[in-house]
Amino acid sequence: MASSPPPPPKLPIPGRRNILITSALPYVNNVPHLGNIIGCVLSADVFARYCRLRGYNAIYICGTDEYGTATETKAMEEKCTPKEICDKYHAIHSEVYKWFNIKFDKFGRTSSPEQTEVCHAIFHKLMENNWLTENTMQQLYCDTCQRFLADRLVEGTCPNKVCNAAARGDQCETCSTLLNPTELIDPKCKVCKNTPRVRDTDHLFLELPLLKDKLVNYINATSVAGMWSQNAIQATNAWLKEGLKPRCITRDLKWGVPVPHDKYKDKVFYVWFDAPIGYVSITASYTPDWEKWWKDPDNVELFQFMGKDNVPFHTIMFPSTLLGTGEKWTMMKTISVTEYLNYEAGKFSKSKGIGVFGNDAKDTNVPPEVWRYYLLMNRPEASDTLFTWADLQAKLNSELLNNLGNFINRVLSFVAKPAGAGYGSIVPDAPNAESHPLTKAYAEKASKWVEQYLDAMEKVKLKQGLKCAMAISSDGNAYLQESQFWKLYKEDSAACAIVMKTSLGLVYLLACLLEPFMPSLSEEVLRQLNLSPEENLSFSEEKGEITKAKSPWDFVPAGHKIGKPVPLFKELKDEEVALHREKYAGSQAERSLKAAADAEASKVANKLKGTKLSDGGPKKEQKKQSGGSKSKTAEADITVAKLDIRVGLIRKAEKHPDADSLYVEEIDVGEDTPRTVVSGLVKFIPLEEMQNRKVCVLCNLKPVAMRGIKSHAMVLAASNEDHTKVRLSWWSHQNLLPWGSVSPSLGTREIPRLPSVARARRGRSWPPSCTATASSWRATKTCPLQPRPESARSRQ
């Protein structure tokens, strides 16, 4: 059966409230993490759903930001074209947002023909109106790569004397100083590692100082009328206070919107010039009548959502660009800005791969509505907030399971009980409900919470709106408890019917108010109420739902048959939390290495499973089993020589160029050339202590690429029980016994217990006479390398 065609694009409707919603376009250099999701797309989705719930004519526009240096850099890392990177990550982003139930009217991309067309039209208007000037600037040029280097393609040392850390050409992440590449000490090209030279290059600049008066008038009027968030006002005023400067809008790159000017035809537009124009071009790909949304400021309100680091580009750069065209654009009315969501003890980082990412959330088996609830209740609206697994567990188990889920299931389960114990799933009649004192008091409370909910949501205070809705659930539980409905059922059936019909109304009210926050939960609650979401899910003044909130007993009609109630949430247990915390520690690169190492360990373990290691003596003939059965197949002999462990000398060690937690070592293990080994030891052992030292190396692992560098062995290390301290050891003494070994770069490994260890020379494997039995293998993956007990040493 053919699928139904998509609905026609929505256009502004005269006389209705028309709302255009955008969120910062997520960049395609990685999978979005939870901080990205709450900072833009999820927050905007909640507000868009709220607008639809209220009956406003609203569209939500977003898409992937695909041009610029970061895309070129990522393409180099993954050895493909920028277009292939964009195709790959656009699909990944789309899938992640679909899982999170984020409902766009259009999720597009900036590498589209519409983007080029709209950018060129705006550029020509700016040129006509003389808001663009030409100027020469100095930029680093790599003779080896034969190109000018964008900020992110230059690495060196931070010029801040207090810092002097490794830094990129745009910013030092250690001290947060904004930089120009030419300011770096000892700059290097990230691609070829050679030293670039300074060279003149011509660029086009947007004359922000000349546009200042128009811009300030817009900001002063709109920031008040649109109720801009305080952090947006502060960030904007900080830029204005520093003084506006001409802003370069072109770059010496290949991947981007080409500049339609003969002199600059080899350049592209700066990504922060063209990225906000992506809102317009994506709308143009949604409907050819896009100007009805973007060039009708009297009838359309523009709401924009983003993280705080994007503010100046949306309150200064983009408005200045639109003002400079001289056309009547729909300018931003309201901007909602989030601070940072931090992860456990550090920061989420898309570039470094630190934190929980969208695909990770799916793999936890924690439902999307739980993730949405947690992120929105923890939304960093006024200050940074912190994601912790323990907090996620507490909010799920306490607020969702024991509060919301308990109230809804308690009401529906009682109504669903057969006659004599409940109502046989039929909603009872409840005349004169308004005369029941307890019910009237709680109805007034619910009505006030609804008023506060609406006020918060209209002001885009999403966290407060969610808290108001959840307060209705808390009051609902208190209402049930105070009414003692289980007693009323037997002692005062009329009062019990009022309590249960009112409670069913509160369940329906919660399904409506929580739909913007947890849409799949809302659908499930309506299913259990046996109400169609398409027909019933709204909260508009036109249909009278807001008035009904004052009399919740009127929401679900008497005689209606509800569906089958089932629990809405599942408890998150301590052991699951511990597993998630361990699994998502470190960076994506380290997790990938650990996964590869665990897979390799599983292979070794599977080979050794059920196998007896040779004790060096003659094989004994197997005895036949009683009852005439055939003798068992002789178990294969395996020697420790299968594990090629050698003592090697680290000739050279340095930090991995693309991973902060990894070392790259050249280790001499007695072969013609040293082996390249990547180890995750940065946070455990100083670089100077890695030089010219002997270590134990497991040499017969399959080589694996680690952030672009292939590792040909594994350094073995010892740790304490909680893995807070790691020490390198080489087994030149017989009192060290490898009960297990930890390599932070490859994950925990298990190797055979050696009952006798001979002194080993560099480059030599353990002698074949060193053998172990299968029973000496450890079953767990956490046993650290330990000294042999004294009693064992004495027997050597």
Side-chain angles (χ1 to χ4, degrees):
M1 182 177 177
S3 59
S4 58
K10 288 184 278 188
L11 296 175
I13 301 172
R16 291 278 297 277
R17 189 175 180 194
N18 301 296
I19 299 179
L20 172 59
I21 301 163
T22 72
S23 62
L25 306 181
Y27 209 80
V28 289
N29 64 331
N30 204 335
V31 182
H33 58 60
L34 298 184
N36 303 138
I37 291 169
I38 187 58
C40 54
V41 293
L42 177 55
S43 295
D45 177 65
V46 171
F47 185 70
R49 287 178 178 275
Y50 166 76
C51 291
R52 299 183 195 113
L53 188 72
R54 294 297 310 281
Y56 304 152
N57 184 42
I59 63 170
Y60 176 20
I61 300 296
C62 192
T64 42
D65 181 7
E66 302 190 352
Y67 286 135
T69 311
T71 304
E72 286 195 356
T73 305
K74 191 69 174 179
M76 290 177 194
E77 288 178 6
E78 299 197 12
K79 296 180 174 57
C80 61
T81 67
K83 178 66 165 58
E84 289 171 331
I85 283 290
C86 293
D87 291 343
K88 170 184 174 180
Y89 282 101
H90 176 80
I92 291 173
H93 277 254
S94 299
E95 189 62 31
V96 167
Y97 303 142
K98 181 180 178 181
W99 185 81
F100 271 92
N101 281 322
I102 293 170
K103 185 179 180 182
F104 306 101
D105 287 276
K106 178 66 178 180
F107 186 73
R109 49 201 305 187
T110 59
S111 61
S112 67
E114 292 86 356
Q115 176 76 351
T116 300
E117 182 181 342
V118 177
C119 279
H120 284 184
I122 289 175
F123 170 77
H124 288 309
K125 284 291 182 180
L126 293 172
M127 287 290 287
E128 289 173 16
N129 297 334
N130 297 316
W131 298 118
L132 299 179
T133 57
E134 299 180 61
N135 208 337
T136 301
M137 58 189 294
Q138 289 189 323
Q139 195 171 337
L140 292 177
Y141 183 88
C142 179
D143 290 302
T144 304
C145 298
Q146 293 189 329
R147 67 176 191 171
F148 285 99
L149 299 179
D151 303 348
R152 290 179 176 230
L153 292 181
V154 184
E155 295 176 335
T157 302
C158 177
N160 186 342
K161 294 181 180 179
V162 181
C163 178
N164 285 135
R168 289 189 322 210
D170 56 350
Q171 184 177 15
C172 174
E173 294 191 2
T174 303
C175 68
S176 300
T177 300
L178 294 175
L179 301 169
N180 287 318
T182 52
E183 297 174 330
L184 289 175
I185 299 171
D186 191 24
K188 300 290 183 184
C189 172
K190 184 176 180 179
V191 179
C192 67
K193 308 304 179 186
N194 290 326
T195 302
R197 62 186 174 90
V198 176
R199 181 172 157 182
D200 289 345
T201 178
D202 293 334
H203 284 284
L204 288 166
F205 290 75
L206 178 63
E207 286 293 338
L208 291 179
L210 300 180
L211 286 160
K212 182 179 179 182
D213 290 343
K214 291 176 180 289
L215 178 65
V216 170
N217 289 338
Y218 158 74
I219 291 171
N220 290 342
T222 311
S223 60
V224 176
M227 297 177 290
W228 288 11
S229 56
Q230 194 58 38
N231 44 12
I233 295 173
Q234 290 172 349
T236 303
N237 287 339
W239 266 53
L240 293 174
K241 187 177 180 180
E242 287 181 9
L244 296 180
K245 301 177 180 63
R247 187 80 181 185
C248 184
I249 65 167
T250 54
R251 287 291 188 271
D252 289 294
L253 297 173
K254 299 297 183 185
W255 181 245
V257 176
V259 179
H261 189 293
D262 289 341
K263 183 177 177 180
Y264 300 97
K265 60 184 179 182
D266 293 331
K267 301 181 190 291
V268 300
F269 285 120
Y270 174 41
V271 68
W272 269 119
F273 172 78
D274 85 88
I277 296 174
Y279 303 129
V280 183
S281 71
I282 293 170
T283 311
S285 67
Y286 169 66
T287 171
D289 296 320
W290 62 270
E291 290 188 348
K292 292 183 179 180
W293 283 107
W294 280 100
K295 292 187 177 181
D296 190 4
D298 296 330
N299 294 309
V300 177
E301 302 170 57
L302 173 58
F303 286 72
Q304 298 195 297
F305 292 78
M306 68 204 64
K308 64 181 178 182
D309 50 343
N310 289 339
V311 169
F313 303 104
H314 290 80
T315 61
I316 291 179
M317 280 286 291
F318 188 41
S320 297
T321 300
L322 298 182
L323 289 168
T325 65
E327 297 177 314
K328 196 176 180 181
W329 287 91
T330 299
M331 306 285 286
M332 177 181 63
K333 175 187 175 182
T334 299
I335 181 171
S336 179
V337 176
T338 57
E339 302 289 315
Y340 292 134
L341 175 70
N342 294 322
Y343 179 63
E344 293 280 344
K347 289 184 176 181
F348 279 93
S349 173
K350 194 158 71 166
S351 60
K352 294 182 179 180
I354 294 173
V356 179
F357 287 72
N359 49 354
D360 298 331
K362 183 178 180 180
D363 292 341
T364 63
N365 292 322
V366 176
E369 62 264 30
V370 174
W371 281 111
R372 286 178 65 111
Y373 176 83
Y374 178 80
L375 291 172
L376 290 158
M377 192 59 86
N378 214 24
R379 186 175 185 249
E381 293 182 350
S383 61
D384 292 355
T385 57
L386 183 65
F387 169 90
T388 67
W389 288 102
D391 189 34
L392 174 67
Q393 179 189 31
K395 283 185 166 59
L396 169 53
N397 294 349
S398 177
E399 298 173 18
L400 292 178
L401 179 63
N402 295 336
N403 174 10
L404 179 64
N406 177 64
F407 172 67
I408 294 173
N409 191 255
R410 200 174 179 189
V411 172
L412 298 182
S413 295
F414 188 79
V415 173
K417 286 182 179 180
Y423 295 94
S425 298
I426 304 299
V427 178
D429 195 9
N432 303 317
E434 66 276 2
S435 63
H436 186 258
L438 184 64
T439 297
K440 184 179 180 181
Y442 274 95
E444 289 175 354
K445 282 186 177 182
S447 179
K448 289 180 179 178
W449 283 123
V450 169
E451 289 177 10
Q452 293 181 39
Y453 169 92
L454 296 174
D455 180 67
M457 297 300 285
E458 291 293 329
K459 295 176 180 177
V460 202
K461 295 182 178 179
L462 306 183
K463 186 192 296 187
Q464 185 60 33
L466 179 54
K467 288 180 178 178
C468 291
M470 292 298 290
I472 294 175
S473 175
S474 298
D475 285 348
N477 276 311
Y479 173 55
L480 289 179
Q481 208 60 25
E482 192 172 348
S483 70
Q484 296 188 322
F485 65 92
W486 58 94
K487 289 185 179 180
L488 288 179
Y489 184 77
K490 296 178 180 178
E491 300 171 2
D492 188 344
S493 59
C496 187
I498 289 172
V499 170
M500 297 317 297
K501 193 169 188 290
T502 301
S503 297
L504 283 167
L506 292 176
V507 169
Y508 172 81
L509 179 62
L510 282 167
C512 290
L513 300 184
L514 289 173
E515 194 279 339
F517 302 94
M518 295 180 283
S520 57
L521 172 76
S522 179
E523 288 184 12
E524 174 60 20
V525 172
L526 289 178
R527 188 193 67 77
Q528 294 186 28
L529 283 170
N530 196 24
L531 296 172
S532 167
E534 291 77 15
E535 297 175 7
N536 293 277
L537 194 57
S538 67
F539 203 69
S540 67
E541 294 184 31
E542 294 176 4
K543 296 184 178 181
E545 279 93 350
I546 296 176
T547 303
K548 279 186 180 180
K550 297 178 180 178
S551 51
W553 49 83
D554 288 334
F555 275 121
V556 185
H560 174 77
K561 185 175 182 179
I562 69 168
K564 181 181 179 181
V566 294
L568 296 168
F569 299 102
K570 179 184 176 183
E571 180 185 12
L572 185 59
K573 298 181 179 179
D574 290 344
E575 53 267 29
E576 294 175 284
V577 171
L579 181 65
H580 294 326
R581 184 183 292 112
E582 179 183 359
K583 182 175 180 180
Y584 298 109
S587 69
Q588 287 174 311
E590 290 169 333
R591 294 177 212 161
S592 177
L593 298 177
K594 184 178 184 301
D598 287 344
E600 189 70 24
S602 296
K603 286 183 182 178
V604 176
N606 288 334
K607 287 180 181 178
L608 291 165
K609 189 175 181 180
T611 303
K612 185 175 181 180
L613 298 181
S614 171
D615 60 2
K619 297 179 183 177
K620 295 181 180 179
E621 186 178 346
Q622 298 285 340
K623 292 181 179 180
K624 292 184 178 181
Q625 294 179 344
S626 60
S629 61
K630 293 181 181 181
S631 63
K632 292 181 180 179
T633 303
E635 294 177 329
D637 288 342
I638 291 184
T639 68
V640 178
K642 291 273 187 178
L643 297 173
D644 186 2
I645 302 172
R646 309 182 193 179
V647 175
L649 179 66
I650 299 178
R651 295 292 189 188
K652 178 184 177 183
E654 58 186 14
K655 287 188 176 181
H656 195 297
D658 293 322
D660 292 341
S661 61
L662 302 179
Y663 283 132
V664 179
E665 307 111 19
E666 291 183 5
I667 304 179
D668 183 355
V669 291
E671 298 170 335
D672 292 338
T673 58
R675 291 198 182 204
T676 299
V677 180
V678 181
S679 303
L681 296 166
V682 170
K683 60 184 177 181
F684 299 103
I685 299 173
L687 181 59
E688 58 270 18
E689 293 183 18
M690 292 290 293
Q691 312 295 336
N692 298 309
R693 67 178 298 165
K694 294 176 182 177
V695 289
C696 285
V697 184
L698 183 55
C699 294
N700 58 338
L701 289 176
K702 182 180 179 180
V704 58
M706 304 178 187
R707 295 297 289 269
I709 296 179
K710 189 167 286 188
S711 181
H712 296 271
M714 181 177 73
V715 172
L716 301 178
S719 77
N720 58 355
E721 289 187 0
D722 60 3
H723 305 310
T724 57
K725 295 181 180 179
V726 172
R727 187 174 62 188
L728 292 176
S729 300
W730 72 284
W731 297 325
S732 61
H733 300 286
Q734 295 180 6
N735 63 357
L736 284 180
L737 176 64
W739 286 1
S741 64
V742 176
S743 171
S745 63
L746 290 177
T748 303
R749 279 289 185 277
E750 295 308 311
I751 62 176
R753 179 175 178 176
L754 307 178
S756 106
V757 179
R759 188 181 298 270
R761 294 180 180 177
R762 178 168 51 83
R764 299 288 183 87
S765 302
W766 300 109
S769 60
C770 295
T771 58
T773 62
S775 62
S776 66
W777 281 73
R778 292 278 176 161
T780 66
K781 291 187 176 184
T782 58
C783 182
L785 182 68
Q786 304 175 29
R788 175 184 289 261
E790 289 298 325
S791 58
R793 295 180 192 173
S794 62
R795 293 195 296 269
Q796 289 299 313

